[in-house]
Amino acid sequence: MPDRGGGPTGPRMRVGRPSRRVRTLLMTLGVLAVLGMAFTMFAGFWTDWLWYRSVNYSSVFTTTLWTKIGLFFVFGLLMAVAVGVNIWLAHRLRPPLSAMSMEQQNLDRYRMSIAPYKKWLLLGITSLVGLIAGASASGQWRTWLMWVNGVSFGQKDPQFKLDVSFYAFDLPWYRFLLGFGFAAAILSVIAAALTHYLYGGLRVTSPGARATAAATGHLSVLLGIFVALKAVAYWLDRYGLAVKSSDFRATDNWTGLRYVDANAYLPAKTILFCIAVICALLFFATLWRRTWQLPVIGFGLMVLSAILIGGLYPAIVQKFQVQPNEQAKEAPYVEKNLEATRKAYGIDGTKVTDYTGTSTTEDKTELRDDVDATASIRIMDPNIVSPTFQQLQQIRNYYAFPNNLDVDRYAKDGKEQDTVIGLRELNLAGIPKKNWINNHFRYTHGFGVVAAEGTSADAQGRPNFTESDLPSEGDLGTYEQRIYYGEKTDTYSIVGGPQKEIDYSDDNGEKTTSYKGDSGVNLSNPVNRAAYAVAFGEPQILYSGAIGDGSRILYNRTPKERVEAVAPWLTIDGDAYPAVVDGRIQWIVDAYTTTNGYPYSSRTTLGDTTADSLTATNDNRAVVAQQNQVNYIRNSVKATVDAYTGEVKLFQWDTKDPVLKTWMKAFPDTVEPKSDISKSLMDHLRYPQDLFKVQRELLTRYHVKDATTFLSGSEVWQVPDDPTNRSGNAVPPYYLSMKMPDQKAQAFSLTTTFTPNGRDNLSAFMAVDAEAGTSDYGKIRILKLPTNTTVNGPKQVQSQFNSQEDIAESIRLLRGGDSEVEYGNLLTVPLDGGLLYVEPVYVRGGGLKYPLLRKVLVTYGGQTAFENTLDEALNKVFGAEGATPEPPDEGDTPPPPTSENPTVQQALEDAQKAFDAGQEALKENDWEAYGRAQKDLEDALQRAEDAQAEASRGGGGAGGGESQPSGSPSPKPSS
């Protein structure tokens, strides 16, 4: 070739190949990069296998892995073969290129450029589509396992009379197969068409026939397969109507056939199925007719029919038949939805009882003793007192309690009582010096349980601890106190090796320990160390001298993480709670089986339904499957996680649940029978909150059983917003030992209230028996208030509390200085036809930045009290103590005010002065002066109360109409 660059004459410079050394270096770097990527992938796989083996759930790992691999290869190979065969066939059916048109001449250069690489190109294309299809199919492992292991529900849908298992287990798999078939057909058509075009079988701009006979027959068969699949889709759509969501009655969660579905869409789908079958046969017939005229006409008619029959006709039926007489038309289908929804969510046994909302007993003093028999009113709010636990029982900065404590039952003096409980978990943010050794080797675990009576507080407003100090001592006896697994333990620790761990500290200094359990993965193997160094991105794991014989790495340490990992087919409740069982701290985790395929049952989104004022501020309370939309749910599994060993146990709880039975077939020997639950564990099991919240949301509409009432919307309720804060979120349900009107004794219960839609008065009170192991466990009772009278709801009760002058003045005093007032749980208790409301009031005062119980608000039958203790408030409301003396005779002149009998105004001024003096003493850390100020404050408030009582008898003098404060506005410091 001549030199066209215009450069100097003479020998041309040749670009030399890289030297052997450079080539060797590049090759080495390439090999190392490949090996590095391979080992990174291996490290993830290997560490997962080691973890599952360490928790004795290796079968879950292998079953899931082999299922994914099988689906990947089977469907990846099917897709690759489908596309590859059609490319090969189109190439084989190419016409001779003797008569070259201009169009074909332009394509010739592309044919020539790929000619040497045709086999590699075919292999590359088929491999790519196979990898994509295989990866997509492997994500359907749950669908496959449910289809192949599905068991019967023993219930049939009301429309097609098919077992529910068809919709829950079979239909999802058929739809996946159909979707895969569509994808294979479309990709095959595209690949075949491009190949035919490239090699002349299809012509776009050339004169004459647009396609050869071979290309016509080939593409017609592929299009016929596509249309045949569309026919299958129309047939499956008929059954899909039973689980189809639609916008009905201002909700998009309605599921099942309506009048227009049964009388328009269902016959339309059948007709379209027949048309699609005929159209597919016309496409296949082109193998003999060699013309697309009839199949194209048939396809056009199918599209037109889909628009007219599948779209326009149902709209006409809805407009002219349903809307003019909706109740009559829709009632039969609404009844099916009502029945199916109530069964699917386990609310079909709900007992709804009319309740007057007003007491029939004239002498309220007779009811005072009934209060104690009706409910063990919990004034320790587990969602408020965590900072108090933290301040009084943290002991060391590297311990912490969860933001929301838990309520459980423990026996004291032979009697069960509601108990607020929390674990002293590890808090890495509080360790004195952060470094890799301290974070992962020395500070490894929390220590001990702290528990307090739920129904009482001490004289200073602090919890009455039944288990406290470090090491913890109290009513719980002897148990393993070390907490290696907990809700706040979200990092890995390496234990059991040469590096000693800090156990706890006391007056004699730090105590050390070394982990004796067999939890975690052994790091003595250098391959394991290398794998974890890569997986955790921490190279020190590979070479650190702190790791040696016996070293084990602990990770995936929160209870929810562990249960979700060993049972990925379960949905985990948002609130795991601890219990001391047989000398061990066990985390108890409620888990659910769900499906989205229960016919006629309306759907709900778990993340939305289970949200309330607590989950809005605490992510740990959120249900795991936030956006998981379901229309069937069962609390089928109770799981435990040992706080020391991390051992996970799954117990079958709902022995009739077909979804759980299906998963137990898929993963045999992973779920233990219900009979293996010990009596001591059973004592601490309870009804789960998230299930209760799902059920109460459904019961706002599905408490009615007749279609007419449902359609009218007159009985729609709503879950009220939490009146104790301004979050705008739903009030959380509360655990409380109480007795419903039809019960003979108190039972541990989960309770909530309802208000009418868009209004604040009370419409119903709901409670479920949460006492596991009893015959009534899970029984839902609803007390329905009359619609023709108004009974105050939670928001109105809270508003009354805040608006009464004497209470408002006392609250103002409590908020004096830099103190904060926090309202605890507003508990509702049915009593003698009326409703008793109780709300504890906490104060964070002065330099003490933790809440102490200072007051209790109580209201019943229009009477309200705001007193220092629950007993005092109840006594005042029911008139059990402090009866009003007889009024003075006419003409008697009240004595003038004296220092022993001051006016309310003067007493309030003295109270304010004493309060201010107490705040100043707190700032100066002068506890003696603070004590004197507290005494003066109590005296002043007592004088105000006496003056108020005197004023009510007509002898109050000036200021006798002032409001009445009571109680101490500031917490008394602990020693």
Side-chain angles (χ1 to χ4, degrees):
M1 296 289 291
D3 183 7
R4 298 180 181 176
T9 59
R12 288 183 301 160
M13 299 183 63
R14 185 177 64 180
V15 178
R17 296 176 61 189
S19 66
R20 179 175 295 179
R21 179 180 298 178
V22 173
R23 293 200 306 271
T24 303
L25 178 61
L26 291 175
M27 185 176 297
T28 302
L29 290 175
V31 170
L32 289 175
V34 172
L35 290 176
M37 289 188 292
F39 189 79
T40 300
M41 297 174 62
F42 167 78
F45 164 80
W46 186 242
T47 52
D48 284 347
W49 161 250
L50 291 174
W51 187 86
Y52 276 96
R53 191 175 65 175
S54 73
V55 293
N56 299 317
Y57 281 90
S58 55
S59 63
V60 174
F61 179 81
T62 54
T63 299
T64 305
L65 177 65
W66 286 117
T67 302
K68 290 180 178 179
I69 290 175
L71 292 172
F72 177 86
F73 279 104
V74 169
F75 286 94
L77 186 62
L78 286 174
M79 183 65 77
V81 168
V83 175
V85 166
N86 281 284
I87 292 176
W88 173 83
L89 186 60
H91 179 265
R92 186 177 179 84
L93 296 174
R94 67 189 184 279
L97 299 175
S98 55
M100 295 291 290
S101 65
M102 185 62 66
E103 182 181 13
Q104 289 302 310
Q105 291 176 13
N106 291 332
L107 292 173
D108 187 54
R109 55 179 174 174
Y110 296 108
R111 289 192 291 268
M112 295 296 291
S113 63
I114 67 173
Y117 311 105
K118 284 191 293 187
K119 292 183 179 179
W120 291 106
L121 187 60
L122 177 63
L123 182 62
I125 292 174
T126 55
S127 297
L128 179 62
V129 296
L131 287 172
I132 295 173
S136 176
S138 66
Q140 297 293 322
W141 64 271
R142 290 181 176 87
T143 307
W144 161 260
L145 287 176
M146 292 184 78
W147 177 68
V148 78
N149 295 287
V151 302
S152 172
F153 272 69
Q155 303 171 24
K156 294 185 178 181
D157 79 282
Q159 180 68 39
F160 301 102
K161 309 304 179 184
L162 296 175
D163 191 89
V164 173
S165 61
F166 171 80
Y167 301 94
F169 306 141
D170 299 344
L171 190 58
W173 178 248
Y174 297 154
R175 281 176 165 169
F176 163 71
L177 292 179
L178 187 63
F180 179 84
F182 274 125
I186 291 171
L187 289 175
S188 296
V189 168
I190 293 173
L194 289 175
T195 306
H196 280 298
Y197 175 70
L198 183 63
Y199 287 97
L202 292 178
R203 302 178 181 89
V204 176
T205 60
S206 300
R210 298 298 183 186
T212 64
T216 299
H218 184 197
L219 294 177
S220 294
V221 170
L222 292 178
L223 291 173
I225 292 173
F226 176 85
V227 176
L229 290 173
K230 188 61 180 174
V232 176
Y234 282 132
W235 188 257
L236 287 181
D237 284 346
R238 298 169 68 255
Y239 303 108
L241 293 172
V243 289
K244 177 181 70 74
S245 291
S246 60
D247 186 2
F248 180 55
R249 287 286 167 178
T251 175
D252 57 359
N253 294 325
W254 174 274
T255 304
L257 283 81
R258 293 158 48 198
Y259 180 88
V260 68
D261 297 313
N263 295 276
Y265 280 112
L266 186 57
K269 296 293 183 183
T270 305
I271 295 172
L272 289 173
F273 164 75
C274 297
I275 294 174
V277 169
I278 296 173
C279 186
L281 293 175
L282 291 175
F283 272 107
F284 293 140
T286 57
L287 286 173
W288 297 275
R289 292 178 57 85
R290 302 297 183 180
T291 176
W292 278 350
Q293 184 176 7
L294 284 179
V296 168
I297 293 174
F299 187 79
L301 290 175
M302 186 182 75
V303 173
L304 182 62
S305 300
I307 296 172
L308 296 178
I309 302 175
L312 184 60
Y313 174 62
I316 293 173
V317 171
Q318 178 68 25
K319 180 71 174 179
F320 295 102
Q321 291 190 32
V322 177
Q323 289 185 4
N325 192 17
E326 186 178 50
Q327 284 206 356
K329 297 292 186 182
E330 299 287 15
Y333 304 96
V334 171
E335 289 176 358
K336 296 175 184 178
N337 176 270
L338 287 171
E339 182 180 1
T341 302
R342 291 169 65 86
K343 283 183 178 179
Y345 290 94
I347 57 177
D348 50 327
T350 300
K351 181 180 180 181
V352 180
T353 306
D354 291 334
Y355 194 73
T356 61
T358 56
S359 174
T360 57
T361 302
E362 295 184 2
D363 186 2
K364 296 298 187 289
T365 58
E366 299 177 5
L367 299 178
R368 176 61 185 90
D369 293 335
D370 292 343
V371 175
D372 296 331
T374 300
S376 299
I377 298 175
R378 180 175 43 74
I379 56 176
M380 280 289 112
D381 186 345
N383 308 309
I384 296 289
V385 299
S386 178
T388 308
F389 273 51
Q390 185 83 357
Q391 184 69 29
L392 301 179
Q393 289 296 319
Q394 179 188 22
I395 312 297
R396 295 289 182 266
N397 288 336
Y398 48 81
Y399 294 131
F401 293 91
N403 294 333
N404 302 98
L405 304 177
D406 289 289
V407 178
D408 203 348
R409 297 133 294 156
Y410 287 89
K412 185 173 184 179
D413 299 328
K415 182 181 178 182
E416 273 198 352
Q417 64 176 9
D418 291 357
T419 302
V420 177
I421 186 172
L423 300 190
R424 193 184 286 112
E425 294 191 48
L426 179 67
N427 174 31
L428 286 178
I431 64 176
K433 184 179 180 180
K434 290 187 176 182
N435 54 54
W436 189 64
I437 294 295
N438 279 347
N439 290 357
H440 300 289
F441 290 82
R442 287 179 56 76
Y443 295 92
T444 60
H445 59 279
F447 207 99
V449 173
V450 175
E453 294 180 4
T455 56
S456 67
D458 67 11
Q460 299 175 358
R462 300 178 301 188
N464 280 323
F465 291 109
T466 58
E467 185 80 10
S468 59
D469 299 332
L470 184 67
S472 294
E473 297 178 345
D475 297 343
L476 301 185
T478 303
Y479 58 95
E480 174 56 66
Q481 299 198 19
R482 296 171 183 85
I483 303 162
Y484 283 88
Y485 296 88
E487 290 183 303
K488 301 180 75 68
T489 315
D490 54 4
T491 188
Y492 71 90
S493 289
I494 299 176
V495 298
Q499 178 66 58
K500 290 292 185 180
E501 312 162 43
I502 293 177
D503 204 19
Y504 63 91
S505 302
D506 59 16
D507 295 337
N508 298 320
E510 288 182 350
K511 307 290 185 182
T512 60
T513 188
S514 186
Y515 185 66
K516 300 297 191 300
D518 59 357
S519 182
V521 178
N522 196 320
L523 292 179
S524 59
N525 186 328
V527 175
N528 291 357
R529 293 177 66 170
Y532 279 102
V534 172
F536 288 179
E538 184 49 71
Q540 293 186 77
I541 295 177
L542 185 60
Y543 56 78
S544 174
I547 301 175
D549 290 340
S551 292
R552 311 182 72 85
I553 185 168
L554 314 179
Y555 61 105
N556 285 352
R557 298 168 70 184
T558 68
K560 288 194 286 187
E561 277 182 324
R562 295 181 78 78
V563 174
E564 188 181 29
V566 303
W569 33 273
L570 291 174
T571 299
I572 311 303
D573 189 88
D575 184 25
Y577 60 98
V580 178
V581 180
D582 297 328
R584 317 284 299 185
I585 300 174
Q586 298 282 355
W587 288 99
I588 300 176
V589 183
D590 285 287
Y592 310 107
T593 47
T594 62
T595 182
N596 196 26
Y598 196 101
Y600 276 95
S601 172
S602 292
R603 290 182 171 88
T604 186
T605 302
L606 292 183
D608 297 336
T609 309
T610 58
D612 58 30
S613 62
L614 297 182
T615 59
T617 58
N618 185 2
D619 291 338
N620 287 335
R621 280 293 181 95
V623 69
V624 168
Q626 280 292 315
Q627 298 305 317
N628 189 13
Q629 195 174 63
V630 305
N631 68 353
Y632 170 95
I633 187 170
R634 289 291 185 273
N635 177 212
S636 54
V637 171
K638 300 283 189 181
T640 62
V641 178
D642 191 292
Y644 183 77
T645 66
E647 180 185 21
V648 181
K649 288 186 176 181
L650 307 176
F651 296 99
Q652 183 182 17
W653 184 248
D654 190 331
T655 57
K656 298 179 180 179
D657 177 29
V659 181
L660 178 60
K661 291 179 180 178
T662 296
W663 286 119
M664 290 174 68
K665 282 181 63 180
F667 296 95
D669 302 324
T670 57
V671 180
E672 300 181 26
K674 185 176 183 178
S675 58
D676 284 358
I677 299 176
S678 65
K679 172 63 169 62
S680 53
L681 175 59
M682 185 72 75
D683 290 341
H684 296 282
L685 300 182
R686 68 188 191 188
Y687 201 81
Q689 292 188 60
D690 284 337
L691 176 60
F692 183 77
K693 286 187 277 189
V694 169
Q695 291 174 326
R696 75 171 178 178
E697 180 64 31
L698 268 296
L699 283 168
T700 59
R701 290 168 290 139
Y702 287 91
H703 61 278
V704 300
K705 296 183 179 180
D706 63 287
T708 302
T709 306
F710 186 89
L711 286 167
S712 71
S714 61
E715 290 289 329
V716 174
W717 300 337
Q718 66 183 13
V719 179
D721 293 340
D722 192 343
T724 64
N725 60 52
R726 298 180 181 179
S727 67
N729 297 100
V731 61
Y734 296 124
Y735 285 105
L736 182 69
S737 289
M738 58 166 292
K739 180 176 67 174
M740 291 288 277
D742 65 332
Q743 292 178 293
K744 296 181 180 179
Q746 291 185 21
F748 192 61
S749 304
L750 195 52
T751 66
T752 193
T753 52
F754 295 109
T755 58
N757 193 26
R759 293 157 56 196
D760 293 326
N761 55 291
L762 196 69
S763 57
F765 174 81
M766 171 181 169
V768 62
D769 193 320
E771 194 83 45
T774 62
S775 58
D776 275 354
Y777 172 81
K779 184 173 182 178
I780 299 175
R781 296 175 172 89
I782 292 180
L783 302 180
K784 183 176 177 293
L785 279 299
T787 57
N788 57 352
T789 60
T790 300
V791 179
N792 288 336
K795 186 175 181 180
Q796 293 171 323
V797 170
Q798 187 69 48
S799 179
Q800 281 186 356
F801 284 157
N802 297 336
S803 61
Q804 288 197 18
E805 290 187 6
D806 55 342
I807 296 177
E809 181 63 26
S810 297
I811 294 294
R812 187 188 70 80
L813 284 175
L814 292 174
R815 284 182 173 144
D818 57 354
S819 296
E820 299 176 6
V821 171
E822 295 184 36
Y823 294 101
N825 39 219
L826 179 57
L827 301 177
T828 308
V829 177
L831 178 67
D832 190 50
L835 291 161
L836 174 69
Y837 286 96
V838 179
E839 182 177 63
V841 178
Y842 299 83
V843 176
R844 295 177 188 246
L848 301 177
K849 297 302 182 183
Y850 59 91
L852 296 177
L853 180 66
R854 282 307 183 196
K855 290 289 183 180
V856 179
L857 284 161
V858 174
T859 184
Y860 182 81
Q863 298 295 317
T864 301
F866 185 59
E867 300 298 324
N868 295 333
T869 67
L870 175 62
D871 284 339
E872 291 176 5
L874 291 173
N875 290 339
K876 183 172 181 179
V877 164
F878 293 103
E881 293 181 6
T884 304
E886 291 293 325
D889 294 335
E890 291 186 11
D892 288 352
T893 304
T898 65
S899 59
E900 288 76 19
N901 185 24
T903 64
V904 174
Q905 183 63 39
Q906 183 61 51
L908 290 177
E909 292 176 1
D910 292 344
Q912 186 64 54
K913 291 177 182 177
F915 177 77
D916 293 339
Q919 300 303 302
E920 290 297 324
L922 277 177
K923 293 177 182 178
E924 301 295 332
N925 290 325
D926 188 345
W927 302 114
E928 184 178 352
Y930 180 77
R932 290 196 301 270
Q934 287 291 93
K935 182 64 170 63
D936 293 342
L937 179 61
E938 292 176 4
D939 292 342
L941 291 174
Q942 185 61 50
R943 285 188 279 115
E945 185 174 355
D946 294 341
Q948 179 70 18
E950 184 70 20
S952 66
R953 295 195 296 268
E962 295 292 335
S963 58
Q964 171 195 346
S966 58
S968 171
S970 179
K972 191 171 181 180
S974 59
S975 57

